[in-house]
Amino acid sequence: MSLIAEALNHPAEAYKNKHYTISWALVIITILINSVFEPILRHFFSVSSPEIDFLNMLKITGFGTLSYIIICFAFWVVCKCFGSETTFIDHLSAWGISYFPTALCSIVVSITEVFFFLFWNNTILGMLLNIVFVAVLLWKVVLYFIYLKDFAGLMKWRFFAAFIIMGIIILIMAVLNGYVGLKTPVL
């Protein structure tokens, strides 16, 4: 439990300490929310999905895992180009610590898609949902800043250049994640 508290309260230290267990647990939970939880929720509470497609679950799980590996590889290449000393394995073991907001977003997206009728024409619930999405997005951006600055060790113009290049890569990968069926990008 102290590792989770460290990852939430002190992400810079959690990145540097390379907590493999927390990092991979968050990545796996996020992927499983996208690939297993959402289809099961849709099956039991939605009329549009009478049967569970296990092959699609495996496909989405594979794409989620591949997406995580690709984004870590992109971080490593971009950070390496700007002078970072971190290895690919370091990126692979640390970036997952930023997945608390991604997992939360996956849960919210799954629930709102299945129970969309609760949010339809309801101003208060719609506003609360928007606040949650904006808060999660800002949280992820803050973790992204901390990651590039404190974990990858990029400063000044190198930080801003890596931030812009990785931002473009993240946007491209988010589109590709949506194309292959991941409702919440595994980035």
Side-chain angles (χ1 to χ4, degrees), residues 24-152:
W24 277 102
L26 286 170
V27 171
I28 290 168
I29 288 168
T30 303
I31 292 169
L32 291 177
I33 290 169
N34 274 295
S35 64
V36 177
F37 174 72
E38 193 269 336
I40 289 174
L41 192 66
R42 186 174 298 281
H43 172 74
F44 286 110
F45 294 102
S46 178
V47 291
S48 65
S49 183
E51 63 183 50
I52 297 175
D53 186 357
F54 291 106
L55 288 176
N56 191 48
M57 286 180 173
L58 286 173
K59 179 186 86 166
I60 298 300
T61 302
F63 282 137
T65 305
L66 182 63
S67 178
Y68 179 73
I69 292 168
I70 291 171
I71 198 67
C72 289
F73 183 76
F75 268 115
W76 175 67
V77 168
V78 170
C79 291
K80 190 79 161 166
C81 288
F82 289 106
S84 178
E85 300 292 324
T86 53
T87 66
F88 173 64
I89 299 299
D90 290 341
H91 286 282
L92 201 59
S93 64
W95 179 240
I97 291 170
S98 74
Y99 271 55
F100 277 110
T102 309
L104 180 63
C105 187
S106 295
I107 292 170
V108 172
V109 167
S110 296
I111 290 172
T112 55
E113 281 196 349
V114 173
F115 300 107
F116 71 92
F117 55 87
L118 294 175
F119 302 96
W120 192 266
N121 290 328
N122 189 325
T123 307
I124 294 173
L125 286 177
M127 276 188 349
L128 289 174
L129 187 63
N130 285 329
I131 290 168
V132 167
F133 279 125
V134 169
V136 166
L137 182 62
L138 290 174
W139 186 9
K140 188 72 173 189
V141 170
V142 167
L143 292 172
Y144 175 47
F145 282 145
I146 293 169
Y147 187 83
L148 288 175
K149 185 177 175 283
D150 293 331
F151 178 73

Side-chain angles (χ1 to χ4, degrees), residues 156-178:
K156 299 181 183 175
W157 71 270
R158 295 171 192 255
F159 168 81
F160 289 111
F163 175 79
I164 290 169
I165 292 170
M166 280 308 301
I168 292 168
I169 292 170
I170 287 170
L171 289 174
I172 291 168
M173 286 194 61
V175 170
L176 293 174
N177 275 201

